[in-house]
Amino acid sequence: MGKGEELTTTKYLIHAQITANGIVEKPDVVGAVFGQTEGLLSNDLDLRELQRTGRIGRIQVNIHSNSGRAKGEIVIPSSLDRVETAILAASLETINRVGPCEAKIHTTKVEDVRAVKREQVVNRAKEIYKNMVESVGPTSMRMIEEVREAMRVHEISEYGEDRLPAGPSIHTSDAIIVVEGRSDVLNLLKYGIKNTVAVEGVSVPRSIGELSKKRTTTAFVDGDRGGELILKELLQIGEVDYITRAPKGKEVEDLEKDEVLVALRDKVPTAQFLATTNILNDSGNSNNHKKENNRHNRRHQKYNRNEKQKHVKEPEPEVEDDEVTLMKDMLKEFEGTGCGAILDEALNMTKEVEVENIYEEIKNIEGTADTVIFDGVISQRMVDVASEKGIKKLVAFKSMNIVKKPQNVKIITIN
């Protein structure tokens, strides 16, 4: 096997220290490693067979003698799985002689080569990106933005006779988000939110009112006077289940990803929103209150109908809101990797984790963490420790035997 092939197939490097009470050479050490482990393990883990089939690489020995004693390091490249590599590493410690001398071998660590490579890739990617940004002038930036805009425009859809700008999921999603204009739809599309529709003006089209009676509807408006006017109109002709607004003085089209996610996460039921604002009171018309009460009752009836049809056990009315969709998209990136991540509230990765260590990783979390997402199965034990640590969301491909679900932990699975 050539050196290049060995490097490409290596997953782990076994590092071990050797000490001998006499002068020994590299061939003595290699001979002892092969000879004294032979027959110790099953044929599947016989070193000679493993090296013949290329599952372990060339044994590297760096040894030197001083004052009649020898000391050095042994490195064995392995493309076995983690458990087999650990067994092999432990078997080295059974060697007690090298050549004519008494010797002792101690395995110091097993290095994950892929983790080192990933770190190198990330660091190099940062350098490359930095150079790209520094070399991109204003003209290039405009071109980049034009291409990005074209890609988003290609994805945008239309709804109803008025051909209102909408996300591609508007026709199929059980939950919709009503925004003010085309730019808002484009901005949310940029962050993967596709169940949007724009009213395109202060006068809300009747088609939006009718759609809001059939779907679980969230109104997401600007944090200014214009946003209030559209919200009032929407409440008059439609049935809005939830309301959220951009930060005061900001528009939905200008929000960054974390601002969008916070706004959608903090949406409130319409009745609660109206109880804390006087948005409908400034008209002075008591009929408005009567109409809103009637709409509020109809919303409850719509919610109950939806619950019966969908057999939803969770307390939230939406089958799948934008946050859940985003979580599922992020989860797909971990599929088949055996890895996961711990995220903060802004969904920035604070730590990458191995699935087999996921319980311990959650148990040892220090500080604040919002979400744990991983390529595996959510268990009751994991739910319990996540609740203790203040984790708000567990995201995985499936859950199993969850008998007791804490109120403060949201479980999101592909199914």
Side-chain angles (χ1 to χ4, degrees):
M1 178 173 61
K3 191 172 182 181
E5 186 184 345
E6 184 176 302
L7 287 173
T8 56
T9 58
T10 298
K11 295 180 186 174
Y12 304 100
L13 290 176
I14 301 169
H15 293 264
Q17 292 287 340
I18 177 170
T19 54
N21 66 353
I23 297 172
V24 296
E25 309 256 338
K26 176 179 175 179
D28 300 321
V29 176
V30 174
V33 169
F34 279 114
Q36 292 184 47
T37 57
E38 191 172 7
L40 178 66
L41 306 174
S42 68
N43 290 337
D44 292 339
L45 291 177
D46 178 72
L47 276 177
R48 293 184 196 279
E49 182 63 20
L50 290 175
Q51 195 168 61
R52 190 184 68 78
T53 57
R55 299 178 71 198
I56 68 160
R58 192 181 300 108
I59 297 175
Q60 302 158 33
V61 179
N62 181 19
I63 196 161
H64 56 272
S65 302
N66 189 14
S67 304
R69 293 179 64 83
K71 188 174 183 180
E73 185 187 32
I74 302 169
V75 179
I76 304 178
S78 165
S79 60
L80 300 165
D81 68 26
R82 192 170 305 194
V83 174
E84 291 170 328
T85 301
I87 292 170
L88 203 58
S91 73
L92 297 178
E93 298 188 349
T94 64
I95 297 168
N96 54 24
R97 293 193 73 81
V98 172
C101 309
E102 288 185 9
K104 183 177 180 182
I105 295 179
H106 172 64
T107 299
T108 54
K109 67 176 178 177
V110 176
E111 183 181 8
D112 187 337
V113 175
R114 294 167 303 176
V116 174
K117 285 180 181 175
R118 278 197 293 268
E119 188 176 346
Q120 290 171 346
V121 168
V122 169
N123 291 336
R124 182 64 183 135
K126 287 177 183 175
E127 286 179 22
I128 292 169
Y129 179 72
K130 185 169 178 281
N131 292 335
M132 286 168 64
V133 170
E134 287 173 355
S135 64
V136 172
T139 306
S140 299
M141 287 302 292
R142 279 198 300 273
M143 289 169 63
I144 290 167
E145 285 306 313
E146 282 177 22
V147 172
R148 283 180 176 160
E149 180 72 13
M151 289 171 68
R152 294 201 297 270
V153 168
H154 178 72
E155 204 176 2
I156 202 165
S157 180
E158 292 177 343
Y159 178 78
E161 294 178 1
D162 301 300
R163 304 184 69 175
L164 301 169
S169 300
I170 194 66
H171 304 285
T172 56
S173 179
D174 292 302
I176 64 165
I177 301 170
V178 179
V179 294
E180 295 185 31
R182 181 185 179 84
S183 298
D184 301 341
V185 173
L186 287 171
N187 195 38
L188 296 185
L189 265 178
K190 185 166 66 175
Y191 305 133
I193 299 167
K194 302 179 179 181
N195 56 337
T196 52
V197 62
V199 296
E200 287 281 80
V202 178
S203 179
V204 178
R206 287 284 165 188
S207 59
I208 295 291
E210 291 305 313
L211 182 64
S212 70
K213 295 172 185 176
K214 301 171 188 172
R215 314 281 182 88
T216 302
T217 303
T218 298
F220 188 5
V221 295
D222 295 344
D224 56 17
R225 180 61 180 163
E228 286 185 10
L229 294 173
I230 286 175
L231 192 53
K232 282 174 67 174
E233 176 76 12
L234 192 56
L235 289 169
Q236 296 295 325
I237 71 161
E239 292 183 12
V240 179
D241 299 278
Y242 293 92
I243 294 173
T244 189
R245 303 188 68 183
K248 192 169 183 179
K250 284 196 170 187
E251 298 182 355
V252 174
E253 66 183 88
D254 298 324
L255 298 184
E256 297 294 331
K257 181 177 181 178
D258 57 340
E259 293 176 306
V260 168
L261 294 175
V262 167
L264 291 172
R265 186 192 65 198
D266 295 343
K267 66 182 182 290
V268 296
T270 300
Q272 182 183 330
F273 180 87
L274 294 176
T276 56
T277 64
N278 61 353
I279 196 166
L280 292 180
N281 292 349
D282 53 10
S283 68
N285 187 347
S286 62
N287 287 334
N288 284 340
H289 298 285
K290 188 174 180 182
K291 287 178 183 176
E292 178 52 33
N293 285 335
N294 289 337
R295 276 193 295 275
H296 182 63
N297 290 335
R298 287 201 304 274
R299 273 197 298 273
H300 276 290
Q301 291 167 3
K302 176 176 74 170
Y303 170 62
N304 290 334
R305 281 199 310 272
N306 289 344
E307 289 297 292
K308 288 175 184 176
Q309 290 167 359
K310 300 169 192 167
H311 303 288
V312 175
K313 295 179 183 177
E314 302 295 333
E316 284 118 22
E318 290 132 313
V319 167
E320 182 172 308
D321 61 20
D322 37 272
E323 180 185 62
V324 172
T325 303
L326 184 63
M327 289 291 113
K328 288 185 178 183
D329 287 343
M330 291 180 70
L331 177 60
K332 286 170 187 172
E333 295 178 15
F334 289 94
E335 187 170 6
T337 64
C339 295
I342 296 169
L343 314 175
D344 61 18
E345 278 198 1
L347 299 185
N348 295 315
M349 186 188 298
T350 59
K351 189 173 185 183
E352 186 173 356
V353 296
E354 300 282 353
V355 168
E356 60 193 47
N357 303 327
I358 195 85
Y359 176 79
E360 290 300 321
E361 292 283 1
I362 297 174
K363 192 176 178 182
N364 296 326
I365 283 174
E366 293 180 5
T368 58
D370 182 84
T371 302
V372 176
I373 183 167
F374 64 99
D375 176 25
V377 180
I378 300 169
S379 64
Q380 181 68 59
R381 189 172 74 133
M382 197 177 295
V383 171
D384 293 340
V385 74
S387 177
E388 286 174 25
K389 287 291 182 175
I391 301 293
K392 297 189 180 73
K393 293 183 283 294
L394 285 174
V395 188
F397 282 91
K398 62 179 178 177
S399 62
M400 191 172 289
N401 301 329
I402 308 293
V403 178
K404 180 184 174 188
K405 181 181 175 298
Q407 289 294 315
N408 62 334
V409 180
K410 187 173 185 177
I411 296 171
I412 299 172
T413 61
I414 283 292
N415 298 324

